[in-house]
Amino acid sequence: MRARSSRPFRTAITVTVLLFLLLHAGCSKEKTREEKISQVTEAATAFLDALGGLQVEGLREMMTARYLEDNQVPDPLTAAQLTASLGYLNSYRFLPEEDIALEGERAVITVVLNIQGRGEREETMVMKLEEGAWKVEGFTALDWSLQPPVEKDERAEVEVALRNFLVACVDGDTSYIFKHLSKAYKEKHRLEKPWTAAEFSGVFGTARSYDFKPEAINITDKSAEADVTIEFGTRGNLESETSRVRLVKEGTDWYVDVFPFFIY
C-alpha cells in the first residue's frame, strides 16, 4: 500500500472530499478534464457516503447495469446484505488530483477505507459514464457473494428446548434433565448430580403426556415463559396440572430455570 501519512484523513463520512483545482484553467481541454474529475468526485463521494450510512435505498441506482448483473447485487438490497459484503465503513479518503485516473468515459479511483474491526485498506473503484451519470462499474471492497448470517428463530429454539425437556421428564431421562437445568436452578436446589430413578419418582411422579402452545411462548431478552400442562398417573386415574415454566438463555442454549412440577 502506498504511504498516505501526508494526506488528511477523512474522519467522518460527511466531511467533504478535497476538490481538485487546475492551476491553468485557460485551456479548454484541461477545463473539460477538471469538470470530469469534479463530477467523478461528487459521484464517488455520494456512493461512499451511502455505504458508510447504510443508505441502501437508491444505492443500486448508483451502479451500472452490467455491475448489477455480473455481481448479482440483491434486489431489494438490505442493510444486512450490504454489511455482509463490505463490513461497517467508518471513514474513507482520496485526493482527486492524485487518486483519480481518467480513461475516456471511465475513471479509476484509489481510495483508502477504514473498516470497523479490520483497519485501513486500499481499494480500487471503477466508475463509468452511463446515461449521463457516473456510476460504479467495479469496487474491490465489495464482495456480494458473502451473505448475512441467518437469524435464528428464538421462538423455535425455545419450543425445541422445552419440548425435549418435557419428553425427558416423561421418559425419566434424569441425565438429560440435569444437563438442561439452569445453573441458578441447580445452585438453588443444591443439585450436584442427576437424580436416581427412585429419587426422580418422588420428585416428579409418573407422567403420561404434556401439552403447551408454542405460539403462546413469551420471550423477553434472555428468558422465556410458557404455560405447560402435564398429565400424571396411570390409565383410568389421570390428573392434569398446569403451571408456568421459565427458561433462560445461557450462552447460545436455553435451560429450564423454573419448573413447578418438581416437588421437593
Side-chain angles (χ1 to χ4, degrees):
M1 179 184 292
R2 293 184 288 145
R4 284 289 196 275
S5 59
S6 62
R7 301 182 182 180
F9 183 72
R10 182 180 175 87
T11 57
I13 294 301
T14 55
V15 174
T16 305
V17 176
L18 293 177
L19 296 177
F20 175 56
L21 298 177
L22 293 176
L23 295 177
H24 306 285
C27 176
S28 61
K29 183 178 180 180
E30 290 301 317
K31 180 69 173 179
T32 301
R33 182 175 184 276
E34 177 188 355
E35 290 175 345
K36 281 186 177 181
I37 289 182
S38 178
Q39 291 171 354
V40 170
T41 299
E42 183 179 355
T45 301
F47 183 76
L48 291 166
D49 285 348
L51 294 183
L54 294 178
Q55 299 167 7
V56 294
E57 185 175 352
L59 191 64
R60 283 173 49 89
E61 283 69 32
M62 298 182 185
M63 309 172 191
T64 65
R66 180 172 181 177
Y67 179 84
L68 293 171
E69 182 179 353
D70 290 349
N71 293 276
Q72 297 184 341
V73 180
D75 184 16
L77 177 62
T78 66
Q81 290 168 327
L82 176 58
T83 301
S85 67
L86 175 67
Y88 290 100
L89 178 60
N90 291 329
S91 61
Y92 65 86
R93 71 179 187 270
F94 69 91
L95 292 177
E97 71 273 22
E98 296 183 26
D99 296 324
I100 296 179
L102 291 176
E103 302 174 358
E105 294 188 346
R106 295 176 75 252
V108 179
I109 307 171
T110 301
V111 56
V112 177
L113 306 182
N114 184 288
I115 304 296
Q116 182 175 315
R118 304 177 193 173
E120 287 192 0
R121 64 191 194 192
E122 189 175 270
E123 302 289 353
T124 300
M125 178 188 294
V126 179
M127 304 199 76
K128 181 182 178 182
L129 192 59
E130 184 176 271
E131 297 179 348
W134 288 94
K135 298 185 178 183
V136 174
E137 187 182 44
F139 195 19
T140 57
L142 293 167
D143 184 352
W144 296 106
S145 67
L146 301 176
Q147 298 295 320
V150 178
E151 295 183 4
K152 294 183 177 179
D153 185 344
E154 283 202 325
R155 185 174 302 279
E157 289 183 344
V158 173
E159 178 186 351
V160 170
L162 178 56
R163 193 176 301 280
N164 288 344
F165 188 87
L166 292 170
V167 169
C169 288
V170 173
D171 293 343
D173 188 347
T174 57
S175 293
Y176 184 93
I177 294 170
F178 181 79
K179 290 179 181 178
H180 292 82
L181 288 169
S182 70
K183 293 179 181 178
Y185 187 96
K186 293 175 184 177
E187 291 176 358
K188 179 180 179 180
H189 296 281
R190 298 180 181 179
L191 295 178
E192 298 180 353
K193 61 181 181 179
W195 291 294
T196 64
E199 289 171 338
F200 186 68
S201 179
V203 170
F204 184 65
T206 301
R208 294 185 58 84
S209 65
Y210 66 85
D211 187 31
F212 67 91
K213 295 180 179 179
E215 65 275 11
I217 296 174
N218 182 29
I219 303 175
T220 56
D221 195 15
K222 293 187 177 182
S223 67
E225 294 185 350
D227 290 325
V228 176
T229 299
I230 297 180
E231 267 192 337
F232 292 94
T234 58
R235 187 182 298 275
N237 187 27
L238 298 177
E239 181 179 343
S240 294
E241 293 183 19
T242 300
S243 291
R244 192 79 165 172
V245 176
R246 180 172 182 267
L247 296 90
V248 294
K249 194 170 188 178
E250 296 177 357
T252 59
D253 298 318
W254 289 90
Y255 295 84
V256 172
D257 189 59
V258 174
F259 198 72
F261 299 101
F262 291 159
I263 307 300
Y264 295 89

